[in-house]
Amino acid sequence: MKVNSIKKLLIITVVFLLVVSAFLAGCGSKQASESSKPAESGQQAPDSSKSDSNQSSGESSDDVIRVGVYEPMTGASAAGGQMTVEGINLANEMFPEVLGKKIKLFLVDNKTDKTEAANAVARLIQQNKVSVIIGSYGSSLSMAGGQVAKDAKVPVVGCSPTNPLVTLNNDYYFRVCFIDPFQGKVMAKYAFNTLKAKKAAIIMDVSNDYSVGLSNFFKQAFVELTGDKNAIVAEAKYKTGDQEFTAQLTSIKDLNPDVIFAPGNYGESALLIKQARDLGIKAPFLGGDTYEAPEFIQIGGKAVEGVAFSTHYTAEAPVTEVSKQFLDAYKQKYGKDPTAFAALGFDAYLVARDAIERAGSAEPQAIRDALAKTQDFKGATGIITLDQNGDANKSAVIKQVKDGKFVYVETIQPDK
């Protein structure tokens, strides 16, 4: 009996081990399948981070030109990233090839987070083996991703990151938008010349590099224009994600400024202006290019009527033949007027494609060198020449919220 019991126990043990082995093999097979999921060109989800560079796509590195995109598809700046990707996808559809090969897009969601932005660029380079990268909406996100691209010597073309620090000391970062020293000066001139303002208050998001930088450039220009070192009567602060601004607004109301400059994310900015109107503050509000999102008007409602801001493009005043081509194609594809961010995404793709063509190669260093020589490129947002810092010297557009829509006011040239 004792021997039979031992044999029975051994049989049960072997069967148990076989069952466990089969289960673990099944799990391993699932993980392998998920890790090789291919990234789709122009996809709207961040799944490209899971893709393997060659085997998963079914195409060798010689079959396609790989272009990475990292944008905030989720999080506080999701609307900006989604508008940008619309323009990139449209450009890819209209100009799908270069050097006789298909251009394949790999999109990674940076989730409006600096750490995720750095990780997104690393994934595009290490896993997707891209030759050049496009992105990102948001200067803070671009600076986080820029260092990774610089270390790997892979060039990046920014769509709308306007802070000067994005390209400073980074020979691999370029952009198709104007930068904040110009944008701040444009809005200071608008406040001083058009609104006849002599005293201004500033409200900035201190957790946002874009908001802090643009506020400082506005302050510098406005003090210079007024000739009054005390022209800025208050500088209030908040952080991304804040929902209550009563304390800052109450202190500013008592100082009665002629104008309030408040650049920041469209969500917090719209909420801040709404609360200002509820407190009885009637001073005009001014902002930067991040205001140009439908959500700004949806959140702010009637409170944001009359708000003016600087931006990069308007469908009401096309500046090149490419502007009209882009406008017509965008309307046909999406059934609406394009935003400046869609136009900048469109231009960033075309500038990258042009550099690949002039380089005659998909090798990142060759593309980087060609990008640095970009001159008089005709884009949807204007004529693009990249300077020694990789920045575009371009005009700015001022828009205003009127009757629930963004309305074109005027175009400001860089030398004015």
Side-chain angles (χ1 to χ4, degrees), residues 39 139 160 181 198 201 210 221 241 250 276 278 293 295 312 319 330 362 371 416:
S139 295
S160 58
K198 298 293 189 293
Y210 159 83
T250 300
D278 289 342
E295 288 80 358
H312 309 263
V319 289
Y330 185 93
L371 279 169
K416 290 181 67 177

Side-chain angles (χ1 to χ4, degrees), residues 267-282:
E268 287 91 349
S269 299
L271 194 59
L272 183 151
I273 295 170
K274 195 172 184 179
Q275 292 179 18
R277 298 308 185 214
D278 289 342
L279 288 171
I281 295 176
K282 297 181 180 179

Side-chain angles (χ1 to χ4, degrees), residues 319-333:
V319 289
T320 69
E321 282 300 313
V322 180
S323 305
K324 189 175 185 309
Q325 187 180 8
F326 163 72
L327 179 61
D328 293 342
Y330 185 93
K331 282 184 174 180
Q332 184 175 2
K333 179 175 175 61

Side-chain angles (χ1 to χ4, degrees), residues 14 19 22 44 82 129 140 175 181 183 238 256 259 272 302 329 331 358 386 396 402-403:
V14 170
V19 171
Q44 299 297 317
Q82 291 162 8
K129 311 295 183 186
S140 298
R175 57 182 147 198
Q183 185 172 203
Y238 67 93
N256 195 30
V259 66
L272 183 151
K302 292 183 178 179
K331 282 184 174 180
R358 286 187 287 109
L386 301 181
K402 187 175 182 180
D403 298 328

Side-chain angles (χ1 to χ4, degrees), residues 54-107:
N54 292 334
Q55 293 88 346
S56 63
S57 67
E59 297 164 307
S60 74
S61 59
D62 292 329
D63 293 326
V64 298
I65 304 291
R66 295 168 177 268
V67 175
V69 179
Y70 77 118
E71 290 289 341
M73 305 303 289
T74 56
S77 297
Q82 291 162 8
M83 288 186 286
T84 303
V85 170
E86 284 184 350
I88 295 171
N89 285 340
L90 177 62
N92 184 236
E93 288 182 14
M94 294 173 65
F95 306 96
E97 295 183 354
V98 66
L99 304 180
K101 299 177 182 179
K102 178 184 176 184
I103 298 175
K104 187 175 182 66
L105 296 177
F106 292 82
L107 171 66

Side-chain angles (χ1 to χ4, degrees), residues 186-246:
V186 164
M187 294 316 294
K189 282 188 173 181
Y190 181 80
F192 182 73
N193 295 330
T194 304
L195 301 182
K196 309 301 181 187
K198 298 293 189 293
K199 301 289 184 182
I202 294 174
I203 307 177
M204 70 178 83
D205 178 351
V206 293
S207 63
N208 184 328
D209 295 313
Y210 159 83
S211 178
V212 173
L214 184 52
S215 294
N216 289 334
F217 290 118
F218 173 88
K219 176 182 178 181
Q220 180 180 345
F222 192 72
V223 168
E224 184 177 331
L225 286 166
T226 59
D228 180 4
K229 64 180 182 180
N230 299 314
I232 304 299
V233 297
E235 293 182 70
K237 301 172 183 176
Y238 67 93
K239 292 183 179 179
T240 296
D242 286 354
Q243 301 288 305
E244 176 57 51
F245 309 98
T246 302

